Amino acid sequence: MKVVTTLDDLRHARAGLLGPVGLVPTMGYLHEGHLSLATRARAECASVAASIFVNPSQFGPSEDLSSYPRDLPRDLAMLKEAGVDLVWTPTPEIVYPADFQSWITVEEVARTLEGAHRPGHFRGVATMVAKLFNVFQPDRAYFGQKDAQQAAVIRQMARDLNFPVEVVICPTVREPDGLAMSSRNAYLHGEQRPAATVLFRALSTAAAVYAAGERDAEALRQLMAEVIDSEPLARRQYVSVADPISLHELQGPIQRALLSMAVHIGTTRLIDNLILGDI
Ligand code: PAF
């Protein structure tokens, strides 16, 4: 596995990769969710590339950029074990030189849900992913369904800007008790860890009543809110029952929906989602 930092070294190493090339973009502190992306890429592509970069532009001023967990040696060992061929670990100065001034704003699909609560977040994500698409020129790029809106934003951007890349969305990987894997789970301590299963419990409860015939969007939102509010350590930021493609909030009877939520457990902000019905 080749590990490079500079753009020149990356371009040189990329030129030597056999296609199709699969890209796994990450912010490091890897877990089974990231590895599932690398494993899928390994199975579908002749070469697999990855990036590790905690992207400052997708963090708000009061968010956890400085405390975001990092462990580069462990990450590199995991990627090597997963059969990755090339890893880019740039510095912030390489990605955002002092005179950087070009940003990508995806509009409607980035406005709701996470976009409404994290202003500027998807501008940072879209710009970073566009840069990764430009420098790696991947045939396929792999992202997790856990970040459902991110997946929708990246799909939209790739389509709108004609990036010749297939955006592949892989299922959320969960701990045995249902907690969605996330690098931010490392922030959970003591009784916060079992409390964090409340997100999956709320989604599963809504999915069960949907399976039993409930179709009213507001009833499903209400139910998820009640489950979250029953957990003393949880503070609900939003629960949503939205169209899985447009991400517009749904009212009245639904056929298919993206259930999603953001919940604080202590100071840790967690998100999770589930799709109901066929899309
Ligand atoms: O999902 C992430 O880890 C990040 O948002 C991404 C896609 C690597 C862009 O910085």
Side-chain angles (χ1 to χ4, degrees):
M1 183 176 82
K2 212 169 170 61
V3 181
V4 295
T5 298
T6 68
L7 272 169
D8 277 351
D9 286 350
L10 173 62
R11 291 203 173 104
H12 187 255
R14 165 62 184 93
L17 291 181
L18 280 178
V21 173
L23 173 65
V24 180
T26 83
M27 297 208 301
Y29 212 71
L30 304 183
H31 50 68
E32 290 295 323
H34 297 108
L35 293 185
S36 75
L37 308 182
T39 303
R40 171 104 175 250
R42 184 69 281 164
E44 294 180 354
C45 303
S47 305
V48 180
S51 59
I52 300 177
F53 179 64
V54 182
N55 174 31
S57 70
Q58 67 187 77
F59 289 77
S62 61
E63 293 185 353
D64 56 343
L65 173 62
S66 59
S67 59
Y68 196 83
R70 293 160 167 88
D71 190 342
L72 187 59
R74 178 175 154 276
D75 290 344
L76 292 177
M78 288 169 78
L79 292 176
K80 187 171 180 188
E81 175 73 24
V84 170
D85 301 294
L86 170 63
V87 186
W88 187 36
T89 60
T91 61
E93 294 72 28
I94 289 174
V95 178
Y96 299 109
D99 60 345
F100 187 87
Q101 47 187 305
S102 303
W103 297 96
I104 292 181
T105 306
V106 178
E107 304 220 331
E108 210 164 308
V109 77
R111 264 192 209 120
T112 59
L113 305 174
E114 289 298 284
H117 292 276
R118 302 184 69 189
H121 172 66
F122 287 122
R123 175 183 186 254
V125 170
T127 303
M128 185 64 215
V129 173
K131 286 173 73 87
L132 292 170
F133 286 177
N134 277 328
V135 296
F136 277 100
Q137 308 263 303
D139 298 284
R140 301 195 184 106
Y142 296 81
F143 300 89
Q145 171 64 24
K146 152 91 176 6
D147 296 301
Q149 189 175 17
Q150 168 171 286
V153 167
I154 291 168
R155 272 215 168 108
Q156 186 72 44
M157 179 196 72
R159 205 167 40 233
D160 290 348
L161 301 185
N162 308 111
F163 282 106
V165 57
E166 183 189 342
V167 175
V168 182
I169 307 303
C170 303
T172 301
V173 178
R174 297 182 180 281
E175 301 285 356
D177 62 6
L179 177 65
M181 293 215 180
S182 162
S183 306
R184 289 189 169 98
N185 293 350
Y187 299 145
L188 299 169
H189 294 299
E191 55 190 11
Q192 294 177 340
R193 173 59 189 81
T197 60
V198 73
L199 287 85
F200 186 62
R201 282 187 274 127
L203 293 169
S204 306
T205 306
V209 301
Y210 174 86
E214 178 63 78
R215 290 291 179 275
D216 183 58
E218 185 50 32
L220 294 170
R221 263 190 298 272
Q222 188 63 37
L223 189 58
M224 290 193 290
E226 280 167 21
V227 175
I228 293 162
D229 295 348
S230 71
E231 169 52 64
L233 296 186
R235 195 161 36 87
R236 165 166 55 92
Q237 189 171 51
Y238 69 81
V239 290
S240 161
V241 178
D243 180 273
I245 308 294
S246 71
L247 306 188
H248 290 153
E249 208 57 32
L250 295 171
Q251 308 298 335
I254 58 161
Q255 295 213 310
R256 53 183 198 156
L258 175 74
L259 308 181
S260 67
M261 58 186 59
V263 176
H264 284 95
I265 305 288
T267 54
T268 306
R269 185 178 183 275
L270 299 175
I271 59 171
D272 202 352
N273 70 84
L274 203 69
I275 290 179
L276 297 180
D278 299 326
I279 59 164

